[in-house]
């Protein structure tokens, strides 16, 4: 989503995907840098020199309510003082079945 993350309510009903959904298949050892490159292939806004990509996991809590948890930030151009580009999904506790929400800022 451009400008910010989706609300947790957007994920409540499985099968009613978001309009801007992109499905990718990856491994838990994929880094946020790898995912940034994938997003840049399909989202022109992510290719801007000053674009930042914020990553969040979306998953149900123990009560079945969805949680949106920010896990990292990368920069489109690969620079940035605080960049989480080398962090892998497994290292960030990504679980199979979780959604990955990417905000382009």
């Amino acid at each position: 989503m451009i400008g910010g993350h989706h609300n947790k309510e957007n994920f409540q009903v499985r099968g009613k995907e978001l309009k801007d959904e992109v499905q990718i298949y990856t491994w838990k050892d994929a880094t946020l840098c790898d995912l940034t490159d994938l997003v840049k292939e399909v989202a022109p806004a992510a290719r801007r020199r000053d674009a930042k990509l914020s990553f969040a996991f979306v998953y149900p809590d123990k009560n079945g309510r969805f949680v949106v948890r920010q896990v990292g930030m990368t920069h489109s151009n690969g620079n940035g003082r605080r960049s989480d580009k080398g962090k892998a999904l497994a290292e960030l506790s990504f679980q199979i079945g979780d959604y990955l929400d990417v905000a382009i800022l």
Side-chain angles (χ1 to χ4, degrees):
M1 178 171 188
I2 297 175
H5 287 283
H6 290 93
N7 296 319
K8 60 185 178 182
E9 291 79 20
N10 295 126
F11 297 90
Q12 295 295 349
V13 181
R14 213 176 259 286
K16 294 201 173 200
E17 286 78 19
L18 303 162
K19 292 178 188 173
D20 54 354
E21 178 188 42
V22 175
Q23 292 189 13
I24 61 168
Y25 297 91
T26 188
W27 302 102
K28 289 175 78 172
D29 64 351
T31 65
L32 295 185
C33 182
D34 297 331
L35 297 173
T36 296
D37 290 342
L38 287 173
V39 172
K40 286 167 60 175
E41 287 180 22
V42 298
R47 294 181 211 131
R48 288 191 333 255
R49 207 175 55 193
D50 62 343
K52 292 184 232 173
L53 283 73
S54 176
F55 294 85
F57 296 156
V58 183
Y59 54 89
D61 66 11
K62 293 177 183 171
N63 298 315
R65 294 186 197 102
F66 276 84
V67 174
V68 177
R69 180 174 62 94
Q70 285 188 263
V71 295
M73 175 94 60
T74 62
H75 298 268
S76 177
N77 63 9
N79 295 330
R81 285 176 275 164
R82 189 193 158 271
S83 179
D84 300 310
K85 66 182 181 180
K87 292 184 179 178
L89 292 176
E91 176 185 350
L92 297 167
S93 301
F94 182 80
Q95 299 295 312
I96 302 299
D98 290 355
Y99 289 102
L100 176 64
D101 190 53
V102 182
I104 302 169
L105 310 171

